[in-house]
Amino acid sequence: MELTAEERGGILVVRVRKDRIDAAGAIQFKDRMRELTRSTAPRVVLDMAQVAFLDSSGLGAVVAAMKALAPDRKLELAGLTPTVQKVFRLTRMDSVFVIHDQVPDGLRHAG
Amino acid sequence: MACGMPDELHLPDRGSPSAELRLTIDGTPDAVRDGLRQMQESAVLAQLAEADRGTAEIVLAEALNNIVEHAYARHAGQIEVVLRRQGQRVDCQISDTGLPMPGGKLPAGHLQLLRPGDDLPEGGFGWHLIRSLSADLHYQRQAGCNRLSFRLISEQSAAEDGIVSH
């Protein structure tokens, strides 16, 4: 599961470099997130701009990542694509996360 | 595979453009992922409006993952998928030879009510997603086969008919 992380100014941005978080990849996602979020950055933003699809297993893995950060830190999401947004909205999990249209300023990469 | 598909799907209006896909895949997460890609690229789904293609992928993924996880929890098997499109209307049938649905019927798929301080759920979303995005959902167990059938709800058509969707 391709996840990369960059920390700047107290924000850890974890970029998902795969186009789906699904049943076939959910466990690897969870394991990798656990490794990457060992940092002490107070804010963690998951950049999902490359993720075209997420199923309920993928959603569960993102929730697990959020629970692993709690209670000290909240997981923020950025760049949700239409189908992913639909899954978050229908399950009402969109109200549980802080969701940005894009990764916060200064940390965004072109392309 | 042992399950045969029913001969007739009751579709209205045989005049509009149509397409059909029949696919048999192994009941594993990787095979489901590959199968979904084939379905999305097929003539049945490729030409749908973007939002409707997204709906198709979600419902099919949830139904197939459910079979992998539960029907084939104890022994491996294959999954047969038949997709039929008539105009913008897509009907789906999925069969497997795994364990029967508990209680012989489909889960209601209610979302867990979340209260402040509750531990967030990491699962149990699948049937709610299926029921939110499909219609005419039926389950049948016959001769060792599970058969699930449903029609995909089209946001495009719903919008054109003036039906409010959310």
Side-chain angles (χ1 to χ4, degrees), chain A residues 20 22 55-56 67 86, chain B residues 33 55 57 62 120 155:
Chain A
R20 52 203 296 126
D22 59 4
D55 59 19
S56 60
K67 284 158 81 169
K86 190 180 294 191
Chain B
R33 182 192 269 178
T55 288
E57 190 164 18
E62 296 303 330
L120 290 172
E155 284 178 34

Side-chain angles (χ1 to χ4, degrees), chain B residues 27-48:
Chain B
T28 66
D30 283 319
V32 166
R33 182 192 269 178
D34 287 341
L36 287 169
R37 189 182 57 245
Q38 284 185 65
M39 290 175 224
Q40 292 294 103
E41 290 169 1
S42 74
V44 177
L45 300 181
Q47 282 145 43
L48 294 178

Side-chain angles (χ1 to χ4, degrees), chain A residues 1 18 20 22-25 30 52-57 59-61 63-64 66-67 83 86-87 89-93 95-97, chain B residues 29-30 32-33 36 50-55 57-58 61-62 65 69 111 114 119-123 125-126 128-129 132-133 155 166:
Chain A
M1 167 58 64
K18 228 174 124 73
R20 52 203 296 126
D22 59 4
K30 272 193 276 198
F53 179 78
L54 164 142
D55 59 19
S56 60
S57 302
L59 176 60
V63 172
M66 160 137 134
K67 284 158 81 169
T83 300
K86 190 180 294 191
V87 172
R89 180 172 42 82
L90 287 171
T91 58
R92 311 218 185 115
M93 295 307 281
S95 60
V96 161
F97 294 87
Chain B
D30 283 319
V32 166
R33 182 192 269 178
L36 287 169
E50 251 336 281
D52 293 341
R53 274 184 90 231
T55 288
E57 190 164 18
I58 294 169
E62 296 303 330
N65 288 338
E69 197 177 337
L111 283 181
L114 293 177
D119 203 26
L120 290 172
E122 289 173 46
F125 305 114
H128 177 77
L129 286 168
S132 301
L133 296 171
E155 284 178 34
H166 53 85

Side-chain angles (χ1 to χ4, degrees), chain A residues 2 5 27 33 47 57 67 77 80 87 100:
Chain A
E2 267 293 292
I27 295 175
M33 274 300 279
D47 180 0
S57 302
K67 284 158 81 169
L77 308 179
L80 300 196
V87 172
H100 307 278

Side-chain angles (χ1 to χ4, degrees), chain B residues 65 68 76 83:
Chain B
N65 288 338
V68 169
L83 305 180

Side-chain angles (χ1 to χ4, degrees), chain B residues 112-121:
Chain B
Q112 189 180 317
L113 182 67
L114 293 177
R115 283 169 299 230
D118 274 357
D119 203 26
L120 290 172

